[in-house]
Amino acid sequence: MAAKKAFITGITGQDGSYLAELLLEKGYEVHGLVRRSSSFNTWRIDHVRDHLILHYGDLVDQNSLIRTLEGVSPDEVYNLAAQSHVKVSFEMPEYTGNVTALGVLRLLDALRELGFSARVYQAGSSEMYGLVQETPQTERTPFHPRSPYGVSKVFGHWTAINYREGYGMHVSNGILFNHESPRRGENFVTRKITMGLAAIKKGKTRELRLGNLEARRDWGFAKDYAEAMWLMLQRDKPDDYVVATGENHSVREFLEEAFSYAGLDWREYVKVDPKYFRPAEVDLLLGDPAKAQKVLGWKTRVGFRELVRLMVDADMEGQGR
């Protein structure tokens, strides 16, 4: 029997790399979409790159999507590609909308045009809730996004539902709350903290500048969340799922855990810098993963303290990038 074929957009990102590993372990033939750029940013997948089939393409280029999908003919498609940084989305709102919102439309329409029956995973985000209407947030909580990124993800979410209901396509939305790892991008607050801490411990710097320390997030481990994506596409019926830990912590708590683990008092090194505040802040996100746990049989394996320490250890050893 031929191996199942998976196609991952955003394969070079944090989630894409963990998902690629998982699918390879399960015997899939794994294809990935990568953007052409002068610096090839593949460090997260270099260790498995020989086992992957990479294709040049972009979510802003419909023709490249049709051509690539036609050549691959995938069984499962995971759309993880996005301009995914909230602060950057305020500075590049049009680009964010073009990739993160319209990219979903282009991908789903390419699959529809080709007549493929592939199962599709669309990466949603807790940022869609923004100014939260209830706590904890569930699959039925109304969205109120507070950034161009959040707005774009809401567009992608409803486009996925539209194609599911309108064309009978097997499209599932994962509403993923914050998920971190040593492979997290360097401009995200958790990684800024663990990298800054490593630099302080090594005597390379004396301070770390951050924005809102009171923002509370539901933080999980990215590798656990990749498994949830796969589980969604193993269901006969497509649906939408919140993927979260069900507990939240402030940026301040993340700081305290990281610095105390390294034997330091964070207050001696951290400076709050207004330039890192967002134009519209999202103060509190807390997901209810009950449906994913019950229907998918999914659970988190790595807790908050273990996650922080895992990231601190990796940056101390220079494993990240």
Side-chain angles (χ1 to χ4, degrees):
M1 191 174 150
K4 265 190 176 177
K5 284 195 256 188
F7 179 66
I8 305 171
T9 72
I11 195 168
T12 58
Q14 168 187 252
D15 295 6
S17 66
Y18 283 115
L19 180 62
E21 284 174 357
L22 176 77
L23 295 174
L24 288 171
E25 281 167 22
K26 293 187 180 295
Y28 281 68
E29 179 180 303
V30 181
H31 296 255
L33 191 73
V34 289
R35 277 180 308 168
R36 178 73 190 100
S37 70
S38 53
S39 57
F40 213 45
N41 186 26
T42 60
W43 64 272
R44 295 180 182 90
I45 57 168
D46 281 344
H47 62 297
V48 290
R49 196 164 158 194
D50 291 347
H51 305 285
L52 304 171
I53 303 157
L54 302 179
H55 307 265
Y56 284 119
D58 201 310
L59 287 184
V60 301
D61 183 346
Q62 178 89 0
N63 287 335
S64 72
L65 294 174
I66 291 174
R67 195 168 55 247
T68 307
L69 287 166
E70 203 165 18
V72 174
S73 193
D75 299 292
E76 295 175 6
V77 174
Y78 297 86
N79 184 35
L80 312 184
Q83 188 303 97
S84 62
H85 196 272
V86 175
K87 179 82 166 56
V88 171
S89 80
F90 284 102
E91 289 150 26
M92 302 175 71
E94 185 183 337
Y95 175 75
T96 300
N98 200 4
V99 177
T100 310
L102 290 175
V104 182
L105 181 69
R106 291 188 192 101
L107 181 66
L108 291 175
D109 214 53
L111 287 163
R112 183 188 67 81
E113 290 239 335
L114 291 164
F116 286 173
S117 58
R119 296 183 174 190
V120 184
Y121 169 80
Q122 166 56 22
S125 166
S126 56
E127 289 287 335
M128 299 191 297
Y129 296 117
L131 187 65
V132 299
Q133 305 298 294
E134 64 178 0
T135 299
Q137 292 88 53
T138 73
E139 293 80 5
R140 296 188 176 281
T141 304
F143 299 134
H144 189 133
R146 301 262 282 172
S147 65
Y149 170 71
V151 172
S152 299
K153 281 293 184 186
V154 171
F155 179 97
H157 178 90
W158 281 109
T159 298
I161 291 172
N162 237 254
Y163 274 68
R164 183 167 77 207
E165 294 175 354
Y167 302 112
M169 291 173 68
H170 194 297
V171 190
S172 291
N173 283 301
I175 306 171
L176 271 57
F177 280 65
N178 291 59
H179 45 290
E180 319 297 312
S181 75
R183 300 178 193 174
R184 187 60 144 146
E186 295 174 13
N187 52 0
F188 289 86
V189 68
T190 53
R191 191 76 198 292
K192 268 179 79 172
I193 290 169
T194 57
M195 285 181 67
L197 172 57
I200 288 164
K201 281 293 275 190
K202 290 169 186 173
K204 292 179 180 173
T205 186
R206 281 287 304 160
E207 71 170 26
L208 171 61
R209 302 182 86 84
L210 298 170
N212 181 10
L213 302 188
E214 307 314 318
R216 299 187 69 84
R217 295 292 182 269
D218 184 326
W219 275 305
F221 181 37
K223 188 175 181 179
D224 291 342
Y225 287 39
E227 186 188 22
M229 301 172 193
W230 176 77
L231 286 168
M232 285 178 215
L233 297 201
Q234 308 321 301
R235 304 287 304 171
D236 288 334
K237 184 171 168 286
D239 208 344
D240 308 324
Y241 299 91
V242 163
V243 180
T245 68
E247 61 175 69
N248 69 9
H249 300 270
S250 65
V251 174
R252 186 186 297 274
E253 285 173 67
F254 197 104
L255 272 173
E256 282 170 356
E257 184 58 48
F259 274 73
S260 64
Y261 177 53
L264 297 176
D265 180 350
W266 68 271
R267 287 166 296 199
E268 293 177 24
Y269 303 95
V270 176
K271 301 275 187 296
V272 172
D273 189 334
K275 89 171 182 191
Y276 293 114
F277 281 75
R278 301 175 182 179
E281 191 56 72
V282 173
D283 297 316
L284 185 151
L285 292 171
L286 176 64
D288 179 359
K291 181 177 173 183
Q293 290 168 345
K294 183 168 180 272
V295 179
L296 304 176
W298 176 79
K299 61 180 183 294
T300 51
R301 294 183 169 88
V302 176
F304 177 72
R305 176 176 286 183
E306 193 184 342
L307 173 64
V308 177
R309 294 180 173 198
L310 190 83
M311 292 178 69
V312 170
D313 286 342
D315 276 325
M316 289 288 194
E317 290 162 24
Q319 283 175 7
R321 179 63 183 262

